[in-house]
Amino acid sequence: MTNIKESLAFLKTTLPDYVHLVAVSKFHPVEAVQEAYDCGQRIFGENRPQEMSMKHPLLPQDIKWHMIGHLQTNKVKQIVPYVSMIESVDSLKLLTEINKQAEKIDRQIRVLLELHVAKEETKTGFSPEECRQLIGDGVLESMKHVKVCGLMCMATNTDDETRVHSDFAEANNFFSEIKDQYFAHDESFCYRSWGMTHDYKIAIEEGANIVRIGTLIFGERNYGGNGQ
Ligand SMILES: *Cc1c(COP(=O)(O)O)cnc(C)c1O
C-alpha cells in the first residue's frame, strides 16, 4: 500500500514551482483521489471517459479533471460538461466534435494537441507536419468553443535516456516553433505536457510545465480491477 500523502509530499519537493502536477488516478479508487485531494492536490488525470465520469460526481467539485487518454468522438459529450482540459486531442475529427458538444452547452474547452514524437507505431497523436497543417490551416479560428493551450506528448518507452531526452527536446523545439509562428500573442498557448513517473525529471529538463504522474503517487495499477 503506497502512502499517498508521503509520496505526494516527496514528489512536490522535486518539482519546480511553475510545473503543474496532474495526478493520474486511472484504475485507482475514489478513496485514493480523495486522499490526494485532502493533501491539496486539485488536478487529476484519467484516460477513460467512463471512469472519469463515474468518479466526478463522487468527489469534490473543484477538482480539475484532465482527460489524458485516447478519446473516441462518441464519448466526448459525456465529459464536456465538467472536464477541465482534454490533453489528448489527436485528430481534427475529435477537435471538431469537442467544439460541437461544447457549443451546445456554451462552454469553451481547453485542449492540448497530442504530438507524436515517440519512435513507436502504437503511439497516437499528430506528427509535427500534421500539427503544422492543422494550425496553419486557420480552421481553429472558426472553433470558438475549443481553446488550444499547448502540446502534449509521450516519449518512446525505453530505458535509453538519450532517446527520451531527444523525444522531449523535439517536442519542446516544435512547441517554440508553433508558439512563435502562430501563438506569439496568445498567452493561453503555454502548456507543454510531457513526463510520467519514469521520465518526468527528463521532461522538466526539456521544458515540460505539466507532468502527468500516477504510479509514483498512487502505486502500481491493478488492471484486473474494475477501477472503482
Ligand atoms: C497512465 C498515464 C500516465 C501516468 O503514468 P505513470 O507511469 O503511472 O506515472 C501519464 N500519461 C498518460 C497519457 C497515461 O496514460
Side-chain angles (χ1 to χ4, degrees):
M1 193 56 208
T2 311
N3 186 323
I4 293 172
K5 188 177 179 187
E6 278 175 18
S7 308
L8 255 181
F10 163 75
L11 177 56
K12 293 270 176 66
T13 67
T14 72
L15 297 179
D17 286 345
Y18 64 85
V19 173
H20 299 269
L21 171 63
V22 177
V24 178
S25 49
K26 64 189 188 195
F27 293 92
H28 292 287
V30 290
E31 289 77 14
V33 179
Q34 183 68 51
E35 196 175 333
Y37 179 92
D38 292 340
C39 300
Q41 181 62 29
R42 289 294 178 271
I43 312 176
F44 291 88
E46 292 281 340
N47 70 339
R48 299 181 299 174
Q50 297 91 323
E51 184 174 347
M52 196 163 80
S53 295
M54 180 277 290
K55 288 174 177 169
H56 162 256
L58 303 176
L59 285 156
Q61 294 303 296
D62 63 340
I63 285 180
K64 293 181 161 59
W65 291 101
H66 283 211
M67 174 49 60
I68 62 169
H70 175 68
L71 183 58
Q72 288 173 294
T73 48
N74 63 358
K75 301 284 162 55
V76 169
K77 190 178 178 178
Q78 182 183 347
I79 65 168
V80 147
Y82 68 89
V83 74
S84 169
M85 183 183 275
I86 300 175
E87 297 198 17
S88 44
V89 172
D90 56 7
S91 71
L92 176 58
K93 185 175 169 223
L94 177 58
L95 197 61
T96 307
E97 180 65 13
I98 297 167
N99 185 61
K100 180 178 152 193
Q101 295 301 335
E103 183 173 13
K104 285 188 190 168
I105 57 168
D106 199 25
R107 279 198 79 195
Q108 189 184 52
I109 308 292
R110 299 184 306 154
V111 305
L112 304 182
L113 301 178
E114 184 174 348
L115 191 65
H116 178 109
V117 289
K119 306 296 173 282
E120 287 157 64
E121 294 299 323
T122 51
K123 296 266 159 81
T124 52
F126 295 102
S127 69
E129 191 45 43
E130 288 167 339
C131 211
R132 264 186 216 106
Q133 270 172 20
L134 175 71
I135 297 170
D137 219 8
V139 65
L140 294 181
E141 271 102 87
S142 64
M143 297 192 189
K144 302 292 180 207
H145 294 269
V146 289
K147 183 80 192 160
V148 178
C149 298
L151 303 175
M152 182 269 234
C153 80
M154 276 184 272
T156 309
N157 188 9
T158 172
D159 293 331
D160 177 2
E161 295 201 348
T162 311
R163 172 88 267 153
V164 176
H165 266 285
S166 74
D167 285 351
F168 289 147
E170 183 182 339
N172 205 25
N173 289 335
F174 185 69
F175 177 92
S176 301
E177 175 195 319
I178 294 296
K179 175 77 183 166
D180 291 349
Q181 203 169 345
Y182 301 105
F183 294 96
H185 303 290
D186 183 349
E187 277 175 22
S188 32
F189 189 88
C190 62
Y191 291 120
R192 283 146 289 172
S193 175
W194 28 98
M196 327 180 5
T197 291
H198 68 282
D199 58 13
Y200 79 91
K201 287 181 181 162
I202 298 176
I204 291 168
E205 285 171 37
E206 301 295 351
N209 57 8
I210 297 180
V211 291
R212 310 174 308 266
I213 297 183
T215 309
L216 185 61
I217 301 170
F218 298 109
E220 294 293 331
R221 287 177 285 273
N222 175 8
Y223 292 109
N226 61 3
Q228 305 216 1

